[in-house]
Structures are given as structure tokens and as C-alpha cells.
Amino acid sequence: GGAPDAPPDYSCVVANHVGYLEILALDAVFRAAFVAKAGVRGAFAVGKVAMAKHCIFVEAGGGTTAALGARQAAIMACYVKACGGCHSCTEKLVLFPEGTTTNGTGMVRFRTGAFVAGLPVKPVAVRFPFRHFNPAWESMSLREHGWRLMTQFVNHVELVELPTYFPSEEEKENPRLFAENVQAELAAVLQQPVHPLNRQQKFVYHKFLVGKLAADEALREARALGAADEVVSDAYSEVEKGVAVGGKVEE
């Protein structure tokens, strides 16, 4: 895959997910629509804003890939017929393929939902330069995070737009390959590693942090979740091969 000289307007944005602050920044730049949990629709104030912005609401446990594909197809159709007036034309679809937030020092492996349609995407790298308090939202309450942000003199965010990525025929047939290649470009810009982890494993880590799970219990549960997840299980196999050659992994 690669980037021709004239990127189309129908490409959706894919970005690494560090917290909630980049949502504001991405919306300011792209006039964006996002993917949100179905429960957000009924949330006070936020729900009405999300509906006004034509966000995609998904239920837990399924339907996300189909919903993304339908919206991407609608955007493509509008581009082809030069509609220019509906929300599919005027609002950029912004997706966070990690499916969860990180602390800004690394990414977790992209899910494939944003790439199944086989359409071009616009990678955007998100980073928060800081000196004292990391604006990434991880492992603390929203109240504490907001307070720490407001007591910091200034907060910075950087959005780095990469060239629109056009998938090759092989990538169109293989969404996993498409996702990995796009994430590799973002990782190179951010100079961050990509970890074979998912959202459920992060919640296990949070339980460990607050003392609800012992370290050995957390490791066992996280490994079981990884082995059951096809997105990260193949990476686990590579880790196991490395352990067999180089020795045991310390727990």
C-alpha cells in the first residue's frame, strides 16, 4: 500500500487513542464523527452532542464492523456522486482501531474493523508533549485527571497527519495485514512499540493496580484473554517461540 499524490476526501481518519482530549482536537481539525458505545446516546448532554455529530453507536459484543462498513460505504457513495451536502460528506469519520486508550508511551494492536472495507484511510499520530503531568487518561478517575489537567499551566497536543494510505490488493483481501501496515507507519512517527494486548487485558491490569487481583492471578487471566483473542494470539505465539529459544519470561 501507499499514498498517491491526490488523496481523496472519502478516507476516514485512523489514530492512536491516548484519552479523551484528542477527541476535542480531532473534532476541531476534521469536524469529526466518532464511534461510541450505545449507552453514550442516553448520557446527559454528551449523548445529544454525539447524536448531532452522527456518531456511530455500537452495542457491546458485536455489530461494530458492520456499522463501520456501512458508514464507509455511504461516505464512498457520496464522494462518487459528489453529493457535498449530507453528514457523510461534511463530517470526517475518525476511528481509534486500538479499541482502548494507552498512556502515550506505546500502542496496543489495532483491531481490524476499520480496515475490513478495504478503503483508503488517513493515519493521524496523536501525542501529548508534557513536562509534569501526562495528559493521557489511564489508571485514574476522571475527576482526578481533570483536576490535574486544570492545575497544569498549559497542556499541549500534537496531531501529525500522514499521507492517505491506499491499500494494496493484498491488503484489501487481508484486513489484518492492512491494519498492521498502517499501525507500523504510526509507530514509526511516534517512535513507540506496539504491544500484543487488548482492552480486556487492560482492565485486568487495572484490577491489579487497585488490589483486586494478585500479580500471578492477573498474569494468568491476561494470558487467557490474549490466547482467546485472535487479534493478539498470533503475537503470543511469537513470544512463546522467543521464550523457547532465549529462556523463560520473568513474571
Side-chain angles (χ1 to χ4, degrees), residues 97-230:
E98 290 169 285
T100 190
T101 57
T102 66
N103 63 7
T105 63
M107 289 186 285
V108 298
R109 218 169 189 201
F110 276 3
R111 319 301 293 182
T112 57
F115 307 93
V116 170
L119 293 172
V121 295
K122 164 70 76 174
V124 175
V126 179
R127 54 190 172 207
F128 289 91
F130 69 96
R131 291 184 59 188
H132 304 293
F133 177 68
N134 184 355
W137 187 30
E138 270 299 312
S139 308
M140 67 172 60
S141 69
L142 179 60
R143 176 182 294 181
E144 181 184 358
H145 187 265
W147 173 252
R148 294 289 299 276
L149 284 175
M150 289 187 289
T151 54
Q152 187 160 254
F153 181 70
V154 63
N155 295 289
H156 299 275
V157 60
E158 294 179 355
L159 304 179
V160 182
E161 289 188 49
L162 279 65
T164 299
Y165 191 101
F166 286 75
S168 65
E169 290 303 315
E170 183 182 8
E171 289 168 325
K172 290 178 182 178
E173 296 296 323
N174 186 346
R176 166 48 45 206
L177 177 64
F178 187 5
E180 288 178 351
N181 289 343
V182 171
Q183 188 167 29
E185 292 202 354
L186 286 171
V189 171
L190 293 167
Q191 297 184 330
Q192 292 180 4
V194 177
H195 302 289
L197 300 169
N198 61 32
R199 185 169 182 260
Q200 288 71 32
Q201 289 170 310
K202 187 181 80 168
F203 291 153
V204 171
Y205 173 62
H206 287 181
K207 288 181 180 178
F208 164 70
L209 288 179
V210 299
K212 292 184 177 179
L213 283 177
D216 56 343
E217 295 175 315
L219 282 171
R220 281 196 298 271
E221 189 171 334
R223 283 174 173 165
L225 288 167
D229 184 348
E230 62 180 12

Side-chain angles (χ1 to χ4, degrees), residues 60-82:
T64 305
T65 299
L68 291 178
R71 177 65 67 85
Q72 287 173 297
I75 294 171
M76 178 67 172
C78 285
Y79 176 79
V80 170
K81 66 182 181 182

Side-chain angles (χ1 to χ4, degrees), residues 5-19:
D5 294 332
D9 293 329
Y10 62 80
S11 58
C12 68
V13 170
V14 293
N16 57 304
H17 201 8
V18 188

